[in-house]
Structure formats: structure tokens, C-alpha cells
Amino acid sequence: MSDDTTTGTTTSATTGTTFDTTTEPVWGALTATPLAEVRRRAAVVDDLTGITPVTVPGAQRLAWNDGGGQSAVWYFAEDGRALLLTFDHEADLNLYGEDEFGPQESFYGGVPESLVALVRDRPENYESLNLTDPDTGRTIHYAGGVFWYDGTRWHVADGLVAYCREEEVDLFGESGFSYCLSPYRFGEDFTPEALAALREKNGRYGSDEERAEDLAALRAAFARHTA
């Protein structure tokens, strides 16, 4: 489903049906952010999380996790497209515990196969475990939310929308979309100073010295990902 920022809806290229995106402000902020800036933020957050970027055939993988079962995974393809997976292990769109390969694979419906190939029959990692087809042995990475960028605009995967409609599931709420994208601060300042201020507000620092040291580390991380 392609995003229309003028109406707040996405429209399926295959079925013509629409899905209201106005209920999720983070979606609007993401779709309004140039992909180069999305990738920069993804690289900085990947760095700050201590995750090593991974190169897969045709794309680079960047990720975030909170250490408690929630994650965001980005694949930035060489041709300018992207795939975003979100996961909340306590949400209704967590199918991993139910070991349901078919429904999980259906979430990727409408996503170009060349992008799905980035997560099909690939090794597992901390953020993305595999579900296995019992008949064929093929695998696919689990995800509660599946979103993709076609080089011009972002889409919500048609298959995910269809599943949520049929099962009466809140797509954005149960995919962990807002929480999993919160570290990237789409629609907000994303600077070392902004992150330090947020950390200070959350009581991370015990002294001015700790804040100064952390701010220096944040500035170094940002500098590593500045063109």
C-alpha cells in the first residue's frame, strides 16, 4: 500500500483498497523524511545500540533492539529501495510463539520478491528469528510490522493490512511501530544534544561529568555517520 501524504491513506497497488494512516503520527513523520536522512538515523542508532551493520546481497542491514524482545530492522537496498520490519514480542502480531509460517509469510504480501528475498532463507539474528515452512523447510524472518520503500514513497505491506483487517487487529499498535521507531525521533531533532537532553530527562546521568562524557560519545557516534 503506497502512502498518500495529502489524504493520510495508503492505497494498495494490487487491490485498490485503502488503509487509514492518520492514526499514527510516527508514520507521517517517517514518510516525510528523505530516505538519506532515514538511513543516517538508522546508522547512528545501530551504532549507539552496539549492533554491527551487516551486508547482505544487494543491501545493508541496520537494526535496533531494546534487549527485551522489541526491535526494528532496516534493509537499505543498493537500488534505493528499503524494507523495514518491526517486532513487539508481547503484541498480537507476534506469530513466532505460535509457529505459524503461513500467516507470517502472508504479512509480506505485496512487497516485491526482491526485497522479501532479503529475509527469506537467511540466517537468524538477535532481532529476527526464523519461522520454518514444515512442508518445504524454507524459512522467513518473523516480523510484526512489514513496511517498504519503493524509491519514491513508503508502503504498508498489503498482506499485513489484509491480515489485520481479517483478524481485527490494530496494525500500528500491535506491530510495535511507534515504540520501535521511537529511538529514531522522526519528526523531531536528532542531534547529540537532543539525545543527551532526553537521557538527562530520563535520569540517566548522576553528575555533570557523566553527562559531558556521554555527550562526547554521542557526538563521536554522530560524526561517524555524517557524510
Side-chain angles (χ1 to χ4, degrees):
M1 288 201 167
S2 61
D3 183 68
D4 183 343
T5 57
T6 62
T7 64
T9 62
T10 62
T11 303
S12 169
T14 56
T15 67
T17 57
T18 60
F19 171 68
D20 182 15
T21 57
T22 59
T23 59
E24 179 47 69
V26 177
W27 174 260
L30 169 64
T31 60
T33 304
L35 188 67
E37 175 61 12
V38 173
R39 186 167 186 168
R40 183 184 75 90
R41 294 185 183 212
V44 170
V45 171
D46 182 280
D47 191 332
L48 294 176
T49 308
I51 298 173
T52 300
V54 176
T55 298
V56 298
Q60 182 187 48
R61 176 189 183 275
L62 299 169
W64 163 88
N65 72 74
D66 67 356
Q70 286 63 243
S71 63
V73 180
W74 307 83
Y75 290 89
F76 294 97
E78 294 172 353
D79 62 7
R81 296 180 301 163
L83 178 67
L84 165 63
L85 310 179
T86 60
F87 187 77
D88 181 339
H89 85 287
E90 295 184 345
D92 289 345
L93 291 175
N94 172 7
L95 302 186
Y96 182 77
E98 301 175 22
D99 199 24
E100 296 188 26
F101 177 86
Q104 178 65 87
E105 186 179 44
S106 77
F107 284 13
Y108 292 90
V111 180
E113 182 56 34
S114 55
L115 289 179
V116 181
L118 299 172
V119 298
R120 191 189 296 280
D121 299 322
R122 299 292 184 186
E124 293 183 329
N125 52 73
Y126 181 87
E127 292 79 24
S128 302
L129 298 178
N130 279 326
L131 283 169
T132 303
D133 185 337
D135 297 324
T136 67
R138 300 201 71 184
T139 64
I140 199 162
H141 285 347
Y142 70 22
V146 179
F147 315 92
W148 63 285
Y149 183 78
D150 67 5
T152 303
R153 56 173 48 181
W154 282 95
H155 307 252
V156 183
D158 291 351
L160 176 61
V161 172
Y163 179 93
C164 290
R165 280 185 171 155
E166 183 175 345
E167 300 296 325
E168 297 183 344
V169 173
D170 175 4
L171 188 155
F172 284 123
E174 297 301 324
S175 66
F177 183 83
S178 179
Y179 175 77
C180 292
L181 265 62
S182 61
Y184 306 94
R185 294 176 59 85
F186 293 116
E188 302 179 83
D189 288 342
F190 188 73
T191 63
E193 292 73 21
L195 294 191
L198 180 62
R199 290 176 174 186
E200 184 173 29
K201 180 179 179 181
N202 292 335
R204 177 160 178 163
Y205 307 127
S207 66
D208 290 343
E209 290 75 13
E210 284 186 16
R211 187 186 189 283
E213 290 177 2
D214 189 52
L215 179 56
L218 288 170
R219 286 171 173 164
F222 272 73
R224 287 192 289 271
H225 305 286
T226 299

